[in-house]
Amino acid sequence: MITIRDEIANDIPAREALLDRCLGERRTAKSSERLREGRLPADGLALTAERDGEVLATVRLWHVEANGVPVLLLGPLAVKPELQGEGLGKAMMREALWRAACRGHGAVILVGDAPYYARFGFDPALTRELAMPGPVERERFLAIELRDGALDGASGVLVASGAASTATFEAEAVAQAA
């Protein structure tokens, strides 16, 4: 049985390995990473899917803002390659969006495959007035409003707004696993 739960420190080494495997080592060069660097994920919005202690999928959401309008940045989402196409990514997305809505968040932004994320309601039209802090393919820059009008007034370059990380949390977890 697969369980989707809050991420814990012991998940981090396996999470990092899964991200490297699914997204490649250049994943840290992406514009989205500039918004995550030195920050903690939003409370209750770092999720792990596991079975018998094995990390099978991961997703995190991060606090950002645009012209003072708070938004969440989703990513990365990764599913163990052997399980891709079996609905685990879909389950992770639905859980992440549901949790974000339950916590009162109004909108989620991501950079990703438009046809995949459209099934959840993500639309590139909602990011028309927004920009990433680096290059991004416009057709992959998507958003969903969890609350009508949540992106009203959002414009300009996204900036990180979440809690700063001491950078030791993940480093210590990786070191403990080594």
Side-chain angles (χ1 to χ4, degrees):
M1 182 166 139
I2 295 174
T3 303
I4 298 174
R5 58 168 171 72
D6 290 330
E7 178 183 280
I8 58 174
N10 288 344
D11 294 335
I12 294 172
R15 176 189 180 278
E16 290 301 308
L18 177 63
L19 291 173
D20 284 344
R21 185 172 175 208
C22 293
L23 305 174
E25 293 181 14
R26 298 232 351 107
R27 68 184 170 87
T28 59
K30 297 181 179 189
S31 295
S32 296
E33 188 64 24
R34 304 296 71 82
L35 295 167
R36 295 188 285 260
E37 285 178 325
R39 301 290 173 165
L40 294 172
D43 285 342
L45 296 174
L47 307 177
T48 295
E50 61 95 11
R51 178 175 49 217
D52 299 326
E54 179 187 8
V55 172
L56 305 175
T58 180
V59 68
R60 287 175 164 184
L61 289 95
W62 309 80
H63 291 286
V64 296
E65 62 181 52
N67 195 31
V69 176
V71 186
L72 291 171
L73 175 70
L74 187 140
L77 168 66
V79 175
K80 188 174 178 181
E82 297 83 358
L83 298 175
Q84 291 175 5
E86 294 185 16
L88 185 52
K90 180 178 171 181
M92 294 291 285
M93 282 298 300
R94 291 193 189 290
E95 182 72 13
L97 293 174
W98 177 77
R99 287 185 183 209
C102 288
R103 286 169 172 72
H105 297 287
V108 177
I109 293 175
L110 60 80
V111 178
D113 182 58
Y116 179 82
Y117 290 105
R119 72 180 79 183
F120 305 104
F122 283 86
D123 186 346
L126 292 172
T127 61
R128 192 177 8 238
E129 302 296 322
L130 302 172
M132 291 292 286
V136 68
E137 297 171 51
R138 292 303 304 179
E139 67 275 7
R140 294 175 50 83
F141 190 32
L142 314 168
I144 184 173
E145 288 184 324
L146 303 175
R147 186 178 61 248
D148 287 342
L151 290 172
D152 291 353
S155 64
V157 178
L158 295 176
V159 295
S161 60
S165 169
T166 61
T168 58
F169 174 71
E170 290 196 20
E172 285 176 4
V174 171
Q176 288 174 3

